[in-house]
Amino acid sequence: MLPVLFMAIKHFLQFSDFTLSEFEYVMQRARIIKQRFKAYQTYHPLLDRTLVMVFEKNSTRTRLSFEAGMHQLGGAAIYLNTRDSQLGRGEPVEDAGQVMSRMCDIIMIRTFEQEMIERFAANSRVPVINGLTNQHHPCQVLADVFTYIEHRGSITGKKVAWIGDANNMLYSWLQAAQVFNFHLHISTPKGYDMDMAQVTADPSQYTVFDSPSDACAGVDLVNTDVWTSMGYEDENQARLKAFDGWIVDEAKMARAHPDALFMHCLPAHRGEEVSAGVIDGPQSVVWDEAENRLHVQKALLEYLVVGEIR
C-alpha cells in the first residue's frame, strides 16, 4: 500500500466543508476505487476500522451505500437507529458524540436538523459525515457532480437547473456551484422558494426563474427531487397543488442543451416531479447516479479515516 499523509480530524457536514482540491482528490480516488470494484479486485485500506451509522430518518441508498462500502473497504459497519438507542430516550447529543467516537473510527449520521449533527461533531474524536439533514445532503451532490464528470467531463462553467422544492439538495447544489464554479438555474413554486439565510453562494452563481421551463433553457443538467420530503408529509396535498406545472417532462428537457443529462436523487414519483419518459429516457443517468453514491462515499471514508494516499 502507498504511504499515507495523515491529517487532523475533518468532518463532512456540508458541501462547503471541502475545498476544490480536496474534492478533486476524492473524485480521483473514487474513480480508482470504482475501477477496482468493477474488476473484482480486493482493496482493504480500512481493515479493522469501524463505521457507526446513526439513523433518525429512513433510508435505502444511504444505508446500503455506506454499509456495503465500508465492508468492501475491509471494515465493519454498525447500524444504530435513534428509536433503538439512548439518543431516542433523551441522551444529550454531546454525550453521544463523546461515547460513540471512543468506540469507532468514523461516524455517519442521517437526521433531521443540521444543528444536531454540528453539536455531535463538535464532541466527536473521529470524523463525522452528514448522511442527510433537512438543510444539507452533501454526499448525494458529491455523487451527482462525480456522475456528471464521468459522463460529460468538467462541470466548471456549465449550467445546472434545479426544478422544485428549495430543499436540502438545492442548498448543497448552491454550495457545489460555488466550489466548482458553475451556474445554477433555480425555479421553485411560490411559497417554496429559498431561505436566503441558508444561501452562502454568491448571487453571480445562480439565477432564479419564475418559470420552470425557462429555467431549463440551455442547461447542461436538469435536476429535481420529490415534492414532499421526509418530515413534510402533512403538507403533501398542499404541495401537490402548489407544484402543479413543475414536473420535469419531455417539453422541459427539450429546452435544455441537446446533450443535457437528467438526475434525480431518488426515490422518484413518476407523474409528479418527473415524467416516466424523462426518468426512464435516454438522457437520464439516475441509476449511475445512485450507484455512484457507493463509490464516492468509499473514497470519502478512505480520505477521512486514513488521509491522502500518495
Side-chain angles (χ1 to χ4, degrees), residues 19-34:
T19 64
L20 177 60
S21 62
E22 286 178 306
F23 280 120
E24 288 174 341
Y25 171 79
V26 170
M27 289 188 181
Q28 174 196 12
R29 293 299 303 163
R31 284 190 290 271
I32 294 169
I33 290 169
K34 183 175 181 177

Side-chain angles (χ1 to χ4, degrees), residues 55 59-66 108 110 131 137 293:
F55 286 87
S59 171
T60 299
R61 280 152 291 276
T62 298
R63 178 176 179 181
L64 181 58
S65 55
F66 272 107
M108 184 280 297
R110 182 178 171 94
H137 200 354
R293 286 286 301 277

